[in-house]
């Protein structure tokens, strides 16, 4: 029970910081998440509301990374397993307990895509001060990949442009 309360408090603080960052425009640049074994950065202007895991209605004849649709605050959202999509791999099987620890990050409504991305963990907000170096994406990288950053501990972070992702042909092609 204490873990649930601590998680709720963390989510509440994170939501407050996200709102503060959006209104002040200077505090943070990215929402940091973990999806599979990847550390990813979402520009704050592209990220929307964060939801706890909820039941997802499965859909037949779709790509393995397309989990289905979910009702999030009365809206119908497509749910994408981000790790599976980005790593171009089969979705890893998750137990209900594992899914309960995951979060759904909705795309910002200005992107006009009712989509939520399944991430394994929220890692907070990051500014450019958190990183020691950056490199532009490889020529062979997907169009939605932004710069790759290295943090103070030497870990690699990949920026994802969610606006480009939401319009990318592979992302839109959920049918098999």
């Amino acid at each position: 029970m204490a873990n649930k309360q601590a998680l709720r408090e963390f989510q509440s603080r994170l939501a407050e910081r996200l709102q503060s960052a959006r209104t002040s425009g200077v505090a943070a640049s990215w929402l940091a998440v973990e999806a599979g074994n990847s550390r990813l950065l979402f520009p704050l202007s592209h990220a929307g509301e964060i939801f706890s895991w909820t039941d997802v209605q499965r859909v037949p004849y779709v790509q393995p990374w397309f989990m289905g649709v979910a009702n999030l605050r009365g809206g119908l959202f497509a749910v994408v397993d981000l790790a599976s999509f980005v790593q171009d791999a089969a979705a890893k099987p998750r137990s209900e307990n594992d899914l309960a620890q995951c979060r759904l990050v909705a795309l910002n409504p200005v992107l006009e895509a009712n989509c939520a991305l399944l991430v394994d963990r929220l890692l907070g907000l990051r500014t450019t001060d958190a990183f020691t170096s950056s490199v532009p994406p490889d020529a062979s990288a997907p169009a939605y990949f932004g710069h790759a950053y290295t943090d103070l501990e030497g870990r690699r972070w990949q920026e994802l442009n969610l606006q480009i992702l939401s319009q990318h042909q592979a992302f839109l092609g959920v049918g098999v």
Side-chain angles (χ1 to χ4, degrees):
M1 188 64 166
N3 285 342
K4 281 187 176 184
Q5 183 63 27
L7 181 59
R8 284 191 184 109
E9 289 172 9
F10 171 75
Q11 286 181 302
S12 176
R13 285 191 314 271
L14 183 58
E16 288 170 10
R17 289 180 62 196
L18 274 168
Q19 185 59 35
S20 172
R22 285 189 181 123
T23 57
S24 69
V26 286
S29 297
W30 299 284
L31 172 64
V33 302
E34 186 175 78
N37 57 7
S38 300
R39 289 180 188 85
L40 304 170
L41 301 168
F42 298 162
L44 286 180
S45 61
H46 297 175
E49 192 169 351
I50 298 168
F51 298 93
S52 296
W53 173 254
T54 187
D55 283 337
V56 172
Q57 182 64 45
R58 304 289 178 179
V59 178
Y61 310 111
V62 294
Q63 298 292 338
W65 45 263
F66 188 80
M67 299 187 74
V69 293
N71 180 347
L72 303 175
R73 285 201 202 276
L76 191 60
F77 284 76
V79 177
V80 171
D81 183 336
L82 187 60
S84 177
F85 179 80
V86 168
Q87 296 166 1
D88 196 25
K92 76 175 187 182
R94 292 182 175 98
S95 69
E96 282 300 316
N97 193 35
D98 291 340
L99 286 169
Q101 304 304 313
C102 293
R103 295 292 170 259
L104 298 172
V105 179
L107 300 185
N108 191 313
V110 300
L111 300 180
E112 297 180 347
N114 280 8
C115 182
L117 305 173
L118 177 77
V119 297
D120 294 302
R121 289 181 28 194
L122 298 174
L123 299 174
L125 302 175
R126 298 291 188 276
T127 64
T128 53
D129 297 339
F131 303 103
T132 59
S133 65
S134 71
V135 294
D138 261 358
S140 63
Y144 51 86
F145 271 31
H147 281 72
Y149 293 85
T150 303
D151 67 14
L152 300 170
E153 288 84 37
R155 295 177 297 202
R156 183 178 187 278
W157 294 80
Q158 179 62 58
E159 180 182 29
L160 289 187
N161 183 320
L162 299 182
Q163 181 175 16
I164 294 173
L165 176 69
S166 70
Q167 298 167 5
H168 194 270
Q169 191 62 35
F171 188 78
L172 295 172
V174 299
V176 288

